[in-house]
Amino acid sequence: MMIDWTNFTPWSSLAGGALIGLAATLFILMNGRIAGISGVIGGLLRPVNGDVLWRVSFVAGLVVAPLLFQTSFALPAVDINAGTATLIVAGLLVGVGTRYGSGCTSGHGVCGLSRRSPRSFVATTLFMASGFVTVFIVRHLFG
Amino acid sequence: MKLLSAFVAGLVFGLGLILSGMTDPSKVIAFLDLAGAWDPSLAFVMAGAILVASVGFHFASKRSRSILGDTMRLPTASQIDRRLVLGGLAFGAGWGLAGYCPGPAVASLASGNAEPVIFVVAMLVGMGLYELRTRLSATSR
């Protein structure tokens, strides 16, 4: 294994992670909800009275984040290599997969692992493994 | 108050995603690329998040109501079934293809790039298809 030391950002990643953990903590203690992004958004597609506004508020915070971030810091550079077709296929897989499997990186990966949930441990292991294999196939078999 | 705290939670979550580097799809893919030049940063994101959230969930598990008076909705499902496995595998494949998972993609919507918008629309269609299928199987029963 070869480590990419030039792009490795242990401190900002650890600090960003701590903020994510803080947000999840805030959400469960204040609102009694799991900060699972796919679950929060997915619930908007099955609107139930009284169950919509908190979802919209959470998503609004997420959308506004870069606007607030750039008032004080430069937004980190992003490099997107996926073309439109790839983005569409990827989006569909992520949409169906996260709802069918009841969670994504935040719900299973952060909240679930923090709760020591065996279900989330299995889900996280599988989506990570699937991500590793997919990147291997795309980059090294066809790349 | 509940809406404000939901907004703040989303905001802090988004700031964390940006600071951590998760909103850069190339960085995410560099983490998933074990056979290439591997960038271990995202393991640090997970570690930082779990370290802090473990404390939060520890206290949450002892409460019957949230601080603002809501029911604590901690998941109770424990089954490791076909849905969990297939869903996880499909999600991971999509994540590896584009380098976006739901949070970072939504937190990139206002960045001015078209890519996260296309991804999020496709993701919503995917979630919608799941809803449709669930509803159809519920009515046919």
Side-chain angles (χ1 to χ4, degrees), chain A residues 1-87:
Chain A
M1 181 178 289
M2 195 171 65
I3 291 185
D4 180 3
W5 294 108
T6 47
N7 290 311
F8 181 37
T9 53
W11 299 115
S12 58
S13 286
L14 199 62
L19 277 181
I20 294 170
L22 180 68
T25 298
L26 193 71
F27 207 34
I28 191 70
L29 288 179
M30 300 297 276
N31 295 63
R33 295 278 179 179
I34 295 282
I37 313 297
S38 57
V40 173
I41 295 175
L44 284 172
L45 300 174
R46 188 195 306 168
V48 175
N49 249 346
D51 194 49
V52 171
L53 284 179
W54 68 270
R55 295 177 190 273
V56 174
S57 303
F58 184 91
V59 173
L62 208 51
V63 172
V64 167
L67 306 175
L68 180 73
F69 192 92
Q70 65 187 0
T71 58
S72 313
F73 310 96
L75 283 174
V78 291
D79 179 21
I80 310 164
N81 292 313
T84 305
T86 308
L87 288 164

Side-chain angles (χ1 to χ4, degrees), chain A residues 76-139:
Chain A
V78 291
D79 179 21
I80 310 164
N81 292 313
T84 305
T86 308
L87 288 164
I88 292 174
V89 173
L92 287 170
L93 281 168
V94 169
V96 172
T98 53
R99 295 303 284 151
Y100 200 61
S102 315
C104 59
T105 347
S106 50
H108 280 312
V110 174
C111 298
L113 293 189
S114 297
R115 296 189 304 113
R116 316 274 184 272
S117 152
R119 233 171 92 81
S120 292
F121 182 78
V122 171
T124 306
T125 308
L126 288 173
F127 70 66
M128 295 274 253
S130 175
F132 288 136
V133 170
T134 303
V135 171
F136 184 79
I137 293 171
V138 171
R139 278 225 172 150

Side-chain angles (χ1 to χ4, degrees), chain B residues 1 25 74 87 133:
Chain B
M1 198 55 201
L74 287 162
R133 194 188 157 279

